[in-house]
Structure formats: C-alpha cells, structure tokens
Amino acid sequence: MQLEQPLATAPLVAMRGLCKRYADRSVVDSLDLVVQEGECFGLLWPNGAGKTTTLRMLLGLTPPDSGTIQVLGEPIPERARVAREQIGVVPQFDSLDPDFTVRENLVTYASYFGLRGPHIEQRIAELIAFAHLEGRENVAIPELSGGMKRRLTLARALINHPRLVVLYEPTTGLDPQARHHIWQRLRELRDAGTTLILTTHYMEEAERLCDRLAILDAGRIVASGTPRALIAEHIEPHVLELTGAGADTWGADAAPDAGVRIHRVGDLTLLYTAKPRALLERLDASDQRYLHRPANLEDVFLKLTGHDLRD
Amino acid sequence: MSSPLTPSPSTRSFAVWRRNFRVWRKILLPSALGNFGEPLLYLMAFGYGFGQLVGDLGQLPYMAFLASGIICSSTLFTASFEAMYSAYTRMAGQQTWGAMLNAPLTVDDIVLGEILWAATKGLMNATAILIVAALLGLVADLRALLALPVLALAGFTFAACAMVVTARSRSYDFFLYYFTLVLTPMLLTGGVFFPREQFPELLQDLAYLLPLAHVVDLVRPLLTGGSLHVPLLHLLVIVAYGAAGLLVATAAVRRRLVR
C-alpha cells in the first residue's frame, strides 16, 4: 500500500517493497513507507509486528532481503553511516553510558559524530538546558530518575542538529509531568522543521503529536493518514463503554438501534454510534455503569489489529 | 553497511578508543596501583621464594627470567580480559555499542576500536612491569624498550582473538571455555614460568602453534640481553594471529549485531 504523498519534493525517507524474513517467519512484508521532510510521522503496531526491524533497516543496521531504502538522499544500507550523521535516535532501551556523568555522556556521544572542541561546548550547554538538567551536569547516570534519563536521551539524540529524529516509544514508563515535558520538546522540534518518526503504544501520544501515521500489522500497513481522517474513516464518532452487571445484556439485545455497532472485549461492551442520544437516554434511565467518550485512535488500532494479546 | 568480507573500519574507531580511555582515566588510581603493585608482588614472592629453590637458569637469575615472562603473560591477560569481560559488558549489558551504532559508527569501527583499546591496556600494563623490573635491576639494557612495541602488537593479537570469543558469547560463563581450553594451556606451555626445554619435544613444538611462545621468545632476549632467534618468523606468527583475529571477530560481531 502506497502512502499518499502530500508534496512533490523528494521524500526524506522512502522505503519501497521492503521484505525481511527470519528463518521462515516473515517480519516485514512488501512494506512501502514515505515520510516527507518536516512532518511528524507515527508508526503504530502491536509488539512483534516488525517495528524494530523496520526502524533498524531505516538506520542501516539490518539489511533488507529485498526492496530499496533511501534516507536523506542516501541509499541504505550502503551509505548508512553518512545518513546517520544527520539522524538522531532515541532508542527503545536506555543506552546512556553508565560510566559517565550527564555532561560526559553528551561529550562522548558528540565524539561519535566527530564533533569535538570548544564549539561543541555551547551545543552541550544548550542541550542540558533543553533537557532541563541544569545543575545536574556532573551527576552519574544511575542517580537520574527515569524522566531525567529519557530527557537526556532525547537531548543526546540532538547533539548533531539532526534533520531526522527517530524515536522508539519516547514516553513509555514516564509520569504525566515527564510525558508532557517530552511532548513539549517534540513539538518544539517539529515546529523548528525537524522530521520526526516515532513509534508508540500510546494512541493519545500519536494523536497529539503526529501529522500522519501508519498502522501496521504483520509487517504490512493496514491503514494510514492523519489521525483525524483515520478515526473518521474507521470508527463511529461516539463510543459507549459498558462494564459491570448487565453489560453483556446490553451488548446482546438491549441495544438493537440501527447504526449501533457492538463489540465485546472480556467484561467490556463497546457500543459505537453516530447518533448516541436515544441510547444515552435509555442508559441513563437504567442503572447500567457506562462511559461516553469520543472515538479515538485506540479504537481504530484495536479494530484493525484485533484485541488479542500479542506476546 | 560495509563490504561482506573484509573489515572496513574508519578513523571513527578512535572515538571508541577515546571513550574507553575516558572511563579508564576516572579510575586511574586503582588501575595504576594494580598495574604496578601486582607485578611487584608476584616478582617479590616468586622471585625470592621460588628463586631460592631454582637458582639461576644458565646465566640468568630466576627473577630476571620470570620478569621477562610475566610481562608477556600479563599483557596476554590484561588484553584478553578487556576484550572479553569489559567489551561484552559494553556490547550486551549496558548497550554502549548499541548507542554507537545509532551514531555514525559501524560494527567494524567498534571492533577495531575495542581491540586497539585492549591492546593499549595491555601496553600500559607491560610498561608498568618494565619499570618495576628495571627498578629491581632485572633489565639488562636499553634494548628492553624495544619490547614495548612487540608487546603492543601482542596485546592487539590477544585482544583480537578474545574478541572472537566475545562475539560468540551468550554470557560471561562462556569465557571459561576460552580460559581453560586456550589461555591456560598457552600460558603453561609458553615458557613464562619455566623454560620450554623442560617439556618433551613434541609439546615444545606444539607450544609454537599459539602466539604466546613467540611473544616470549622475542621479549625475553630484549629484556635480559640475550640474542634473538628468527625474530621475523615470531613477528609473522603474531601478526598472522592478530590479522586473522580481527577478520573473524569483525565477521562474527557483524553476524551478531547486523542481522
């Protein structure tokens, strides 16, 4: 499936016909993915659906079995080193250097890009402020909180003024304050014209940050577009979540209205509808416990990739 | 990422070396204590204790014989440890290599940088031992300084061979195979603690299949004022092991990390 290209300019990332198999398991299957310069692009997929493999292929760390990859005008993996000079990566697992302090981590990471000397000092001061770690320059990594580590990891990824930043689940495990701080920083980057590619399990995060996103499953794109368009295309605008006693009765026969789609997950009954008023009146008249909310990306994701556990 | 067979590292390897050097600098004091203190203790204990029983070996006091052997075995173990335990920690434990691979470094850069660093540690250790040996009057003349480039090369070779093991390892326990099956036999047959001539001839010949005996045969005459026999052949064997080690280690780490 080809993603629509909003601009005629050469895309920043173009992956075409990408396939990758491990033993007899197909992990990425004829994947086409195009990301334009300046957009924030979200990749949503369940665990084990080829996410890590695809991003590793983008960075030149995994050679594809077939297909072509162009990143920042460079063929990958042949010239991945050159491309990575302009890419920042926020990895899935903490890879801060525990042998170093906050400041030393940035100095050392800069040296991997060949950046040394006095002019990098100013960049490091900027990034320490960006990560809100002023006064903690000489603190050892194990003494940082999870949020601080994540902020430092993001700052580290920016050491080379990257045109493209690849983020694996940038806010997993963070408290709401820390998440909002990261989101703020990511919006600043996007507004400054940096292209972002992020994977996340938080649909709310994807909805807030991404200009476009793709939902993938089993190594293929199953849907793509803007968050709003995806929701409008796949889900009725109103969702009623019914739990507790009586929920299954509602699901079975008490909601026969035209235009109501019913979905059961465990003890939860989901009612999707464009016209909720009659339904709400009947629910209010009963003592059924329910939640009324607008449709969101998570509904789309679960509809397209199913409710079954993945690992 | 790089050509399929031969290692093609870049000058970015030195960023890997420098990273390890920066960490080492932070633990300079205990490192230096170990570098100088260990050989001093060994030479004192074995030299005086054991040397009294052994007496001289030909013209050579046992302590001088031992010092010129220990400088080789110590290089062997320093370089091997660094390329196994420390490198494995950076590869598998703390994801230092993972972070490097997200930057413009390749597996080839990392493998070469790590081997160069392990060789450097071996050389620093050898230098400390040489100083201790000189102060104890166990070194014949200034020719002993020529042993240092030989030991730097030896450190590279030992590190490159150890890196092959690291690349295939799934846990720290795996290194015990290498210790028991390779390092210990090489140490005991290498002529570090006693002359190889004590062994049956077959075993003496077998000892030359591994690089340590060649290192000892180069370093001992340089330290004790003896004459070198077939030095180019010895160097060739050490270089061959080093080159083969780098080749196989690079291929093995690529297979592990780039897949």
Side-chain angles (χ1 to χ4, degrees), chain A residues 12 16 18-19 39 70 96 105 138-139 163 187 199 216 222 263:
Chain A
L12 202 78
R16 298 185 200 280
L18 224 50
C19 293
E39 69 178 337
Q70 280 245 333
L96 293 168
N105 258 279
N138 299 317
V139 170
R163 282 171 69 194
R187 283 193 298 267
T199 74
L216 296 96
V222 292
H263 193 90

Side-chain angles (χ1 to χ4, degrees), chain B residues 40-51:
Chain B
L40 192 64
L41 290 173
Y42 269 92
L43 285 176
M44 293 292 200
F46 276 90
Y48 285 119
F50 207 53

Side-chain angles (χ1 to χ4, degrees), chain A residues 20 22 56 59-63 77-78 81 84-85 89 91 95 97-101 104 107-109 111-114 116 156, chain B residues 1-2 8-10 12 15-16 18-20 22-23 26 90 94-96 98-106 109 257-259:
Chain A
K20 184 71 185 178
Y22 288 115
R56 282 179 61 87
L59 294 169
L61 300 175
T62 291
E78 293 79 15
R81 182 207 292 279
R84 287 206 300 270
E85 288 182 351
V89 180
S95 71
D97 208 320
D99 295 320
F100 289 128
T101 63
E104 288 167 339
V107 172
T108 303
Y109 206 68
S111 76
Y112 300 158
F113 289 82
R116 297 175 71 192
R156 185 182 71 170
Chain B
M1 148 167 278
S2 33
S8 45
S10 73
R12 291 273 160 87
V16 179
R18 224 179 290 119
R19 181 257 167 221
N20 292 341
R22 268 196 218 105
V23 177
K26 300 178 86 159
R90 292 190 279 273
Q94 56 192 44
Q95 290 300 317
T96 311
M100 289 171 173
L101 288 172
N102 285 333
L105 289 166
T106 63
D109 297 333
L257 298 182
V258 182
R259 57 191 179 81

